[in-house]
Amino acid sequence: MNLNTLLFVPAIGAALATGACTLMDPGSSLADPRLAGPTVKVVGEAETCIRTQAIRQSLVRSDQVIDFEMAGGRVFRSMLPNRCPRLGFEQAFTYSTSINQLCKQEIIRVITPVAGQLDVGAGCSLGEFVPVEYIELDE
């Protein structure tokens, strides 16, 4: 069984815009002040799985949104069906998969540092992977 552990450090100077992704028609955009992260434009149909080997970086945007930046520059946004406690604060999660794909409804677990060790916390289900492009907002 593959065990993939991903740790994330929030980017300094991250985008100030807020946004999220729901299942929308390609070409549409969305900004939702309840969910952190840059506003995005949907650029294709949602996918059920993404290849783990192609994931170059994962950006936790909030307790409910994770962006997966892929080799080749594509970005997939997964909006979790439910809020995942402490995910947005800790910005770290782990998952375990026996296949080389990360799929919708896969359970991720929030990683929390406790007394110099990593504690595996809340388990949360991923949503579909929606291909998006970040939108630069005019100031």
Side-chain angles (χ1 to χ4, degrees):
M1 179 183 289
N2 279 336
L3 178 60
N4 298 294
T5 301
L6 305 174
L7 299 175
F8 308 100
V9 176
I12 295 176
L16 297 175
T18 60
C21 181
T22 61
L23 298 181
M24 299 176 62
D25 294 326
S28 59
S29 63
L30 177 67
D32 183 340
R34 297 170 298 152
L35 303 166
T39 301
V40 297
K41 175 181 169 184
V42 177
V43 294
E45 297 296 321
E47 296 186 19
T48 305
C49 300
I50 57 175
R51 290 184 35 242
T52 55
Q53 300 93 336
I55 299 171
R56 293 294 170 245
Q57 176 173 257
S58 298
L59 301 167
V60 175
R61 301 297 187 180
S62 71
D63 283 351
Q64 205 167 355
V65 176
I66 304 171
D67 287 346
F68 293 90
E69 296 182 354
M70 312 297 282
R74 291 185 76 191
V75 178
F76 288 93
R77 180 165 281 189
S78 181
M79 186 165 163
L80 285 57
N82 299 298
R83 190 181 148 274
C84 190
R86 297 194 58 83
L87 178 63
F89 179 79
E90 298 298 345
Q91 295 195 344
F93 64 90
T94 186
Y95 61 88
S96 178
T97 179
S98 59
I99 60 175
N100 292 327
Q101 294 185 338
L102 190 57
C103 296
K104 173 185 173 185
Q105 297 182 340
E106 185 82 44
I107 301 298
I108 62 168
R109 297 208 170 267
V110 177
I111 297 173
T112 304
V114 176
Q117 306 237 349
L118 295 179
D119 184 36
V120 179
C124 306
S125 176
L126 290 171
E128 289 186 305
F129 300 90
V130 179
V132 298
E133 288 179 356
Y134 299 126
I135 296 175
E136 301 266 340
L137 297 179
D138 294 330
E139 295 188 31

